[in-house]
Amino acid sequence: QVQLVESGGGLVQPGESLRLSCAASGRTESFYSMVYSMGWFRQAPGKEREFIAGLRLSVSDTFYGDSVKGRFTISRDNTKNTLYLQMNNLKPDDTAVYLCAASKVPWRTYGAGTYDTWGRGTQVTVSS
């Protein structure tokens, strides 16, 4: 029905910044009628998928995982059907595949199992 495609990843040095984008395509009108929240997750090799940031669309409420509070910012451009993740002061531990996702849960939700639609991810590597 709707596809989510992440972009903006790459190789950066510690302390640098990146902005990730998540573009929605397809039947987006019906998609946004059913989706309450969107979020960013990351997954590093050998580790579980980790919640990074969430956005409750109807109330413009943002929330973050402890590991990125104060460094990352989630936002959305409604006219472009695009979700963003601004990542500042990147650290080597931020190295992972970053994925965007959508959820039908109306409250703040952090678990990957509560998100239904996923992108394929974009690689972020932070290294000297």
Side-chain angles (χ1 to χ4, degrees):
Q1 184 178 8
V2 166
Q3 295 78 46
L4 302 178
V5 180
E6 302 92 340
S7 62
L11 174 64
V12 297
Q13 295 182 344
E16 294 184 338
S17 299
L18 281 174
R19 189 180 74 162
L20 305 183
S21 299
C22 174
S25 62
R27 290 177 281 182
T28 57
E29 291 186 1
S30 59
F31 172 75
Y32 288 120
S33 295
M34 297 182 294
V35 169
Y36 284 83
S37 304
M38 297 193 71
W40 287 94
F41 290 75
R42 69 187 182 190
Q43 188 160 23
K47 297 183 179 180
E48 295 183 348
R49 188 164 295 183
E50 177 188 11
F51 171 81
I52 297 300
L55 171 63
R56 295 197 294 157
L57 302 177
S58 63
V59 294
S60 299
D61 173 53
T62 60
F63 50 103
Y64 299 89
D66 290 339
S67 63
V68 303
K69 286 181 178 178
R71 297 191 297 124
F72 291 9
T73 303
I74 187 173
S75 62
R76 177 177 176 235
D77 187 332
N78 300 119
T79 63
K80 298 180 180 179
N81 294 321
T82 302
L83 185 75
Y84 299 100
L85 182 68
Q86 178 66 45
M87 305 186 296
N88 296 328
N89 191 24
L90 285 162
K91 306 177 184 299
D93 285 347
D94 295 321
T95 296
V97 173
Y98 284 72
L99 309 97
C100 67
S103 176
K104 299 177 182 178
V105 177
W107 54 84
R108 286 187 171 188
T109 183
Y110 304 84
T114 64
Y115 289 78
D116 305 303
T117 303
W118 293 83
R120 294 295 183 90
T122 184
Q123 177 71 47
V124 173
T125 302
V126 185
S127 176
S128 299

